[in-house]
Amino acid sequence: MQQGGAQDGKSPSELIDGRIKELGDWRGETLAQLRALIRQAAPEAVETWKWRGVPVWEDAGMICTGETYKAVVKLTFARGAALPDPEKLFNSSLEGNTRRAIDFKQGDKIDADALKALVREAVALNRSKVKR
């Protein structure tokens, strides 16, 4: 699903497609894999494009962002500090009270099951906080 943050007549999903293609290396491949896993875990999530070029996935609030840097692809969970992480995926932004991130370096194996479980927990937490 797509929404918010469209620019130049392109939807956020098209902008994310473009980013993946533009990277053209392991970072694009990794971002594409992470995106596919997020979509599997949270099929109702909305893809958005914020802060001049950051892919964001939302469901009843922000789930996570997918930032790309020279040496890492960073998946930052907006409320990661409140999420259970039994597989110890979080390896970055550990000092804050709210966010947590996972840095993926070239060659890292993605634990698909653990990541999808984390995404589902993030959605459940967001939905539990929505005012009825």
Side-chain angles (χ1 to χ4, degrees):
M1 186 178 237
Q2 6 180 329
Q3 178 181 321
Q7 66 186 51
D8 299 328
K10 293 183 180 178
S11 72
S13 291
E14 290 169 330
L15 292 167
I16 295 168
D17 290 341
R19 170 63 48 83
I20 290 167
K21 185 177 179 183
E22 164 191 301
L23 288 165
D25 60 11
W26 69 271
R27 295 170 302 160
E29 293 170 13
T30 301
L31 183 59
Q33 288 177 304
L34 295 171
R35 180 192 201 187
L37 293 170
I38 292 165
R39 287 173 155 180
Q40 289 169 25
E44 295 178 25
V46 174
E47 292 187 320
T48 62
W49 186 258
K50 296 187 178 183
W51 309 296
R52 296 188 182 147
V54 177
V56 179
W57 291 270
E58 300 180 7
D59 186 327
M62 189 181 299
I63 300 168
C64 61
T65 63
E67 302 140 86
T68 52
Y69 299 98
K70 188 173 182 176
V72 300
V73 175
K74 180 183 287 287
L75 211 56
T76 302
F77 284 75
R79 300 172 73 196
L83 299 175
D85 182 22
E87 301 301 322
K88 306 284 186 244
L89 294 181
F90 291 129
N91 61 11
S92 182
S93 303
L94 302 174
E95 62 285 337
N97 292 329
T98 308
R99 293 181 294 120
R100 292 285 183 274
I102 307 167
D103 285 353
F104 295 93
K105 297 181 179 103
Q106 187 171 9
D108 282 355
K109 184 180 180 319
I110 297 170
D111 185 337
D113 292 336
L115 182 63
K116 288 193 289 187
L118 197 59
V119 169
R120 286 190 290 268
E121 288 286 347
V123 171
L125 179 61
N126 283 352
R127 289 182 178 179
S128 76
K129 301 293 183 184
V130 173
K131 293 192 164 111
R132 292 181 172 85

